Amino acid sequence: MSQNVPGFEELLRGCERSAVHLETRDVYAVDYEESGFAAWKAGHRHDPADRASWWRPWLDLVSETVGRSVIIRRARIVSEPVSEYIEFEHHSTFTNVAAGESVRWLPRRRASDLCLPGNDFWLFDDRLVRFNHFTGDGASAGGEMREEQAVVKLCSSAFEAVWERATPHEEFCV
């Protein structure tokens, strides 16, 4: 199925109330994250005092969106013990939190009885879902937009169930 999938900048700029993101993979190999992961493995760590060096322009967009009173929440379902990649994500998440996102973590074993979509997704204003497709090794395989009420309801219910069980970032230890 071929479709025009808007970028995250367009979707967040059009968002009025809420944007939620569910991540379910233990590794991602998308270009913008892969370079950060390689630097982290080589010993680079973000300096909390040097905000200009953080993940730009994403964090600027998050700050701007939250500044318009849009609530952004991210939930991550992870295997334990966590993968090296998840360790990297956890270490870097303070930048997302500083930009205004609320982030929680849920060990995969605690999600076994939840009904979850087959792919990571973003849900914008409880009306529009953007599924993220990945290859087996974590590379991006594109996105898919959906607006059907049943799909929106599934994603909303799944996210809220994960969010309720998940541990806030500040309390989650890897």
Side-chain angles (χ1 to χ4, degrees):
M1 166 166 69
S2 175
Q3 62 172 285
N4 184 17
V5 178
F8 290 107
E9 182 173 353
E10 179 181 341
L11 291 166
L12 281 175
R13 288 194 193 287
C15 202
E16 297 176 0
R17 295 178 311 283
S18 67
V20 300
H21 183 35
L22 182 64
E23 297 179 2
T24 62
R25 299 182 55 86
D26 287 319
V27 66
Y28 293 89
V30 290
D31 294 340
Y32 58 89
E33 289 188 22
E34 212 168 39
S35 61
F37 182 41
W40 182 82
K41 287 186 356 179
H44 175 271
R45 298 297 183 262
H46 290 295
D47 178 355
D50 184 12
R51 291 176 79 108
S53 70
W54 300 354
W55 186 18
R56 302 288 182 221
W58 173 255
L59 295 173
D60 295 328
L61 178 59
V62 169
S63 291
E64 173 190 308
T65 303
V66 170
R68 293 187 292 107
S69 299
V70 174
I71 296 168
I72 300 179
R73 296 183 293 158
R74 179 186 304 254
R76 292 176 169 145
I77 299 174
V78 297
S79 298
E80 289 182 308
V82 300
S83 67
E84 187 179 29
Y85 185 87
I86 294 300
E87 210 175 315
F88 152 71
E89 274 196 332
H90 186 270
H91 182 270
S92 303
T93 294
F94 79 90
T95 63
N96 298 75
V97 172
E101 282 188 54
S102 294
V103 180
R104 292 188 181 182
W105 303 80
L106 182 64
R108 192 171 309 283
R109 63 183 160 67
R110 294 194 55 225
S112 296
D113 61 343
L114 298 179
C115 181
L116 301 171
N119 295 290
D120 289 12
F121 66 85
W122 279 87
L123 173 60
F124 300 95
D125 291 331
D126 288 318
R127 65 172 185 78
L128 180 65
V129 176
R130 184 190 195 279
F131 286 109
N132 300 322
H133 298 291
F134 295 94
T135 64
D137 61 3
S140 177
E144 173 187 358
M145 301 300 297
R146 302 288 293 269
E147 294 183 276
E148 301 95 325
Q149 189 58 40
V151 174
V152 168
K153 184 178 179 182
L154 169 66
C155 291
S156 178
S157 297
F159 183 86
E160 294 305 330
V162 169
W163 189 258
E164 183 178 308
R165 287 188 188 183
T167 303
H169 173 71
E170 312 71 50
E171 301 170 23
F172 188 76
C173 298
V174 295

